[in-house]
Amino acid sequence: MMNRYNETGTIINFSARTYMNHKCICTYASDDEKFHAIIDDYGVMYSPDGKRLLDTVRQLKHYEVPEGVEVICDGAFCFSGLESIKLPDSLLAIGCNAFGNTRLTALTIPRNVRHIAPVNPIATNQLLLDKFECLSPYFKVVKGILYSKDNVIFYGAVTEDYPEELEILEGVKAIANGAMSHRAHLKSVSIPDSVTVMGDGAFHCSGVKKVKLSQNIDRIPAECFDDCRLEVFIVPEGVVNVDDSALGHNDNLITVIFPKTLKNMGYNVFSGCPSLTRISGPRKSNFMNLKDMQKAGLRKGVRSTRENCIIDSYESNMEGVTMHLHN
């Protein structure tokens, strides 16, 4: 399953040997490994054998990773201020969000890279790359979108020329964490039924207004559609969990429709949704009650057609939400 990423965009405790039948190379750098690290003149930290680039300890603009390095670890250059980088042919693996929140304008993935952790490698870059070149036969770029070569993993937009109306390729099984995060001109997305897993924050802070979800997912992950432009959101039958802040901060969200299969709803699912006026869900439900609605972020004027009562709280300025129950 996808693992939640922290505020730097790196996956926590990602230690799987395979992911969606793809062999994984460990990109996690432990505290012990960093304690025994060697730091070069630029403030870049390496394992003693020089094969693993672990982290950066100060800001840098331009850098050439030396030949012999096989792994760039999770978040290695994140927030480093990096403007350009050259990667060696010896490189085999790139960790979670290794280049996030940098100032890169171009990136070339060398020919021997066979593992990119299931997070968009520039997930938190609000400005996309002008040029992204992939020489590795294990990956491909289609209309500004990075995929695994076999289509199984959708890594997300890496250059500015991604489509406004995105149709993810059939055969994709996993959408990476932060795949389309901060992709402002994304207007709609169609997710094929082949997708079974969506990553945390996959569409966070994007411009998406319309979503067609896969019918074979069981979870809407944390912050997946947080801070978007949704108006109506229909959760497909089969979804069991809607995680924390999954739909939060959608100013235009009016209607949410839940399926009979839903069992759990996280914190602040609806937090910061001032236009939300209609929540529809099954009559025999574990979550369609006022207590869980408060947990989900509704704080004032929530009316239930089942209980005919109102929550009174100062924490929201919403005029009122009606919960419609159906068989």
Side-chain angles (χ1 to χ4, degrees):
M1 61 181 290
M2 283 284 186
N3 296 271
R4 184 171 302 178
Y5 62 98
N6 60 23
E7 64 250 2
T8 67
T10 60
I11 283 183
I12 298 171
N13 296 327
F14 184 82
S15 58
R17 292 183 179 179
T18 61
Y19 181 78
M20 293 290 171
N21 294 322
H22 287 236
K23 289 184 178 179
C24 296
I25 297 172
C26 179
T27 56
Y28 174 72
S30 67
D31 290 341
D32 183 68
E33 193 173 15
K34 291 181 180 180
F35 180 80
H36 293 95
I38 296 170
I39 300 177
D40 71 8
D41 293 340
Y42 298 90
V44 180
M45 184 182 294
Y46 289 91
S47 60
D49 62 5
K51 293 184 178 181
R52 289 166 55 82
L53 192 158
L54 308 176
D55 205 351
T56 53
V57 298
R58 62 173 182 260
Q59 296 287 288
L60 71 167
K61 288 187 176 181
H62 311 288
Y63 193 71
E64 181 173 346
V65 179
E67 196 65 42
V69 172
E70 297 180 355
V71 177
I72 295 178
C73 291
D74 300 345
F77 292 100
C78 196
F79 297 106
S80 67
L82 190 67
E83 295 179 9
S84 68
I85 190 167
K86 183 178 180 181
L87 303 177
D89 284 340
S90 58
L91 191 64
L92 302 177
I94 296 173
C96 308
N97 204 21
F99 307 107
N101 275 328
T102 60
R103 297 173 183 173
L104 290 175
T105 58
L107 182 66
T108 298
I109 303 297
R111 60 187 178 185
N112 291 314
V113 172
R114 60 191 63 188
H115 170 66
I116 299 176
V119 177
N120 187 328
I122 55 168
T124 53
N125 275 11
Q126 295 190 33
L127 297 175
L128 294 175
L129 302 177
D130 295 328
K131 182 181 179 182
F132 184 93
E133 186 177 12
C134 186
L135 304 179
S136 169
Y138 293 91
F139 306 93
K140 64 182 179 182
V141 178
V142 180
K143 297 181 179 179
I145 305 290
L146 179 65
Y147 292 86
S148 60
K149 184 66 174 181
D150 57 7
N151 288 351
V152 168
I153 302 175
F154 172 93
Y155 287 95
V158 289
T159 57
E160 197 66 67
D161 57 342
Y162 64 88
E164 290 186 2
E165 298 181 354
L166 174 62
E167 293 188 8
I168 295 176
L169 296 179
E170 189 65 43
V172 168
K173 294 182 179 180
I175 296 175
N177 291 358
M180 300 300 292
S181 177
H182 291 93
R183 291 358 183 192
H185 71 244
L186 179 69
K187 303 303 181 188
S188 67
V189 59
S190 178
I191 300 174
D193 290 342
S194 57
V195 170
T196 58
V197 176
M198 294 197 300
D200 289 3
F203 299 91
H204 167 69
C205 205
S206 70
V208 68
K209 295 180 180 179
K210 296 181 180 180
V211 178
K212 177 190 172 294
L213 289 168
S214 166
Q215 299 299 305
N216 291 305
I217 56 173
D218 63 6
R219 179 184 298 272
I220 308 294
E223 298 186 0
C224 189
F225 295 99
D226 179 74
D227 202 3
C228 295
R229 300 179 184 176
L230 299 170
E231 295 179 1
V232 176
F233 194 83
I234 301 173
V235 180
E237 200 71 31
V239 169
V240 177
N241 297 289
V242 176
D243 291 349
D244 297 349
S245 302
L247 302 171
H249 306 97
N250 276 271
D251 290 347
N252 300 320
L253 185 63
I254 298 172
T255 300
V256 177
I257 301 174
F258 289 114
K260 295 179 180 179
T261 52
L262 189 66
K263 294 182 179 179
N264 302 296
M265 185 151 35
Y267 288 95
N268 298 317
V269 171
F270 306 121
S271 180
C273 298
S275 302
L276 184 60
T277 55
R278 186 174 189 268
I279 299 172
S280 179
R283 188 173 299 276
K284 295 180 180 180
S285 166
N286 294 327
F287 67 91
M288 291 293 286
N289 59 74
L290 300 182
K291 182 179 180 180
D292 280 347
M293 289 298 106
Q294 284 182 303
K295 172 186 171 184
L298 302 184
R299 298 288 189 263
K300 181 181 179 182
V302 180
R303 293 176 174 85
S304 169
T305 56
R306 178 171 60 190
E307 300 184 36
N308 193 29
C309 58
I310 298 175
I311 294 174
D312 186 18
S313 171
Y314 60 87
E315 294 184 45
S316 172
N317 60 4
M318 287 184 290
E319 294 298 326
V321 175
T322 302
M323 294 196 295
H324 298 264
L325 309 179
H326 54 77
N327 292 322

